[in-house]
Amino acid sequence: MIKREQYAPGPANKARVEKDGEKWTLVVVREFHHAPAIVWEALTDPAQLVEWAPFDADGNLGTAGASVHLTTVGAPAPHVSEAKVTRADAPHLLEYNWGTFNMRWQLEAVGGGTRLTLWANIARPYISMGAAGWHICLDVLDHYLGGEPIGRMVGPDAITFGGWQQLNTEYAKQFGIEAPAWPPKKP
């Protein structure tokens, strides 16, 4: 069993960017050794989201038309967004907004597991940060689903622990942008 202190993210090879002019979409692909129904529950059930996701949810995200409040974890001040679930086709496709971000999760059965693809529109200057954050979140989800939870690593926790800075730099290089400094330098 891996301990939290032993966790280190793998190389920055889990994400790519789809570019449409100034609109950039982060695409993250991961494979899990669990059936789509199990991964679906981890994506939609508030009790499981607290184990790995960068937000807490006050309701289940698995119902089309549902409105759920998502609270960003680790934000300097409370940040709550109302999410509208626009599509929920269990256990294959989930779409909702998280603030100004559109989130699309596709689950495909592959062998005895699941290929998860996440599409998230993120402002271009911060897309490498988003890639690094989702990379770590999905690593944590993988450990959680495997019965070896290492605890959620988001916000300041992820930035100071777990190789986030290195991932941010590597993804920025892959995407052809300058890695944003984080935390921002004070004037």
Side-chain angles (χ1 to χ4, degrees), residues 5-186:
E5 307 79 48
Q6 297 170 312
Y7 165 75
N13 63 1
K14 309 285 188 209
R16 68 181 192 279
V17 173
E18 292 178 354
K19 302 173 185 177
D20 182 12
E22 287 302 307
K23 181 182 177 193
W24 285 23
T25 302
L26 176 66
V27 182
V28 181
V29 179
R30 292 297 290 266
E31 293 200 8
F32 295 94
H33 298 288
H34 307 281
I38 292 170
V39 178
W40 175 269
E41 287 299 315
L43 296 178
T44 58
D45 177 16
Q48 293 189 55
L49 288 166
V50 300
E51 298 291 334
W52 68 273
F55 53 77
D56 290 330
D58 73 351
N60 194 296
L61 290 166
T63 304
S67 289
V68 177
H69 291 97
L70 303 180
T71 303
T72 303
V73 176
H79 186 267
V80 180
S81 303
E82 184 173 358
K84 181 77 168 178
V85 179
T86 55
R87 191 162 175 195
D89 179 15
H92 307 291
L93 187 63
L94 176 64
E95 296 178 357
Y96 57 90
N97 66 302
W98 176 24
T100 59
F101 302 113
N102 293 317
M103 310 291 292
R104 181 174 193 240
W105 303 84
Q106 180 178 319
L107 305 174
E108 301 171 81
V110 178
T114 300
R115 177 178 299 122
L116 176 148
T117 306
L118 164 64
W119 288 266
N121 64 322
I122 298 175
R124 181 177 168 175
Y126 304 105
I127 203 155
S128 63
M129 293 171 60
W134 283 113
H135 182 121
I136 291 172
C137 284
L138 294 176
D139 279 356
V140 171
L141 174 59
D142 192 33
H143 284 281
Y144 169 72
L145 291 175
E148 297 182 348
I150 58 175
R152 176 160 57 181
M153 283 185 245
V154 297
D157 240 10
I159 291 170
T160 59
F161 181 86
W164 181 89
Q165 295 284 359
Q166 181 66 32
L167 285 171
N168 181 32
T169 301
E170 290 175 12
Y171 279 121
K173 184 177 179 181
Q174 286 179 30
F175 302 160
I177 62 170
E178 186 174 326
W182 200 263
K185 295 178 183 171
K186 295 182 181 183

